[in-house]
Amino acid sequence: MRSVTDVAESKQHRIARRQVDKFDARRTELAVATLHTLAELGYARTSLREIAQNSEFSHGVLHYYFADKRDLITEAVRQYEVVCVTRYDEVVASAASAVQLRDEFVAMFFGTLAEDAALHRLWYDLRNQSLFDSSFRADVLEIDSHREAMVWRVVSRYAELRGGTVAASSGLVYVTLDGVFQRALLHHLAGDAETVAALRAELPEVVELLVRAA
């Protein structure tokens, strides 16, 4: 039989857990709500005060939930990556053939590039900043690993549907497709539709090169 002390400690633990969960949920809510403001301002031009001035939240509220702009930007990018992963996983889950998976992946790849260009720009900004600032390098590497795993699920499933195997390591597959995406993003932001269209036309061949026939 549990003692009064045990019951009291268990209750305190549950209350503390709920408080932590509510705090984390509020952090997520604020990060998502300020994501577009962050994307427009970019890393160098962003401070918690500037974010507050461009959003519905006070500086005090943001400062309570986030230690600094690095903390907020990292959490915002992390939440956006969760959405991206879900999108591609749905494509993988619904594909009945290799051709369908490849075509839907290409459509999603360039669709999100155009629709969420500012958000992708924020990610690359954050990743570049981590080369100079070691304080959030671990967070960037963690997010990058999730992106790598997402790409691997697409390409490995495509290889399976083709009856083959992936011809390169997970890391090489990721940097190959990420390189295409970053180049396409740069030209999209520059208004160079011709180069973006050319990259889109070539992407199916790139995916095919990553797969070895059985």
Side-chain angles (χ1 to χ4, degrees), residues 183-184 186-199:
R183 179 174 173 81
L186 174 60
H187 285 274
H188 170 75
L189 293 171
D192 183 2
E194 183 177 347
T195 297
V196 174
L199 288 167

Side-chain angles (χ1 to χ4, degrees), residues 96-135:
S97 69
V99 172
Q100 180 188 353
L101 175 55
R102 184 198 63 199
D103 291 350
E104 290 185 359
F105 169 67
V106 171
M108 179 69 70
F109 190 96
F110 282 92
T112 185
L113 181 145
E115 294 168 8
D116 297 326
L119 301 178
H120 292 300
R121 179 178 63 184
L122 177 63
W123 158 244
Y124 287 114
D125 188 9
L126 183 65
R127 192 167 74 175
N128 288 338
Q129 289 295 329
S130 73
L131 298 174
F132 301 94
D133 186 346
S134 62
S135 66

Side-chain angles (χ1 to χ4, degrees), residues 35-36 39 80-89 91 103-124 147 150-151 154 177-178 180-182 184-186 188-189 196 200 203:
L35 188 54
H36 286 278
Y80 179 66
E81 289 304 315
V82 170
V83 175
C84 285
V85 168
T86 301
R87 290 175 180 172
Y88 283 106
D89 283 348
V91 169
D103 291 350
E104 290 185 359
F105 169 67
V106 171
M108 179 69 70
F109 190 96
F110 282 92
T112 185
L113 181 145
E115 294 168 8
D116 297 326
L119 301 178
H120 292 300
R121 179 178 63 184
L122 177 63
W123 158 244
Y124 287 114
R147 292 168 65 92
M150 172 189 72
V151 169
V154 174
L177 294 177
D178 184 65
V180 174
F181 191 88
Q182 189 171 12
L185 177 63
L186 174 60
H188 170 75
L189 293 171
V196 174
R200 178 168 186 153
L203 185 56

Side-chain angles (χ1 to χ4, degrees), residues 152 155 159 165-169 172-173 208-213:
W152 179 255
V155 176
T165 58
V166 184
S169 67
L172 186 56
V173 168
E208 191 63 30
L209 287 172
L210 295 171
V211 173
R212 183 187 297 114

Side-chain angles (χ1 to χ4, degrees), residues 30-60 62 72:
L30 290 169
V32 172
T34 58
L35 188 54
H36 286 278
T37 297
L38 294 169
E40 289 302 320
L41 292 173
Y43 183 84
R45 296 165 52 205
T46 300
S47 68
L48 289 183
R49 191 171 300 280
E50 287 167 333
I51 295 168
Q53 289 173 351
N54 286 276
S55 72
E56 60 183 292
F57 307 105
S58 70
H59 176 254
L62 293 178
L72 174 54

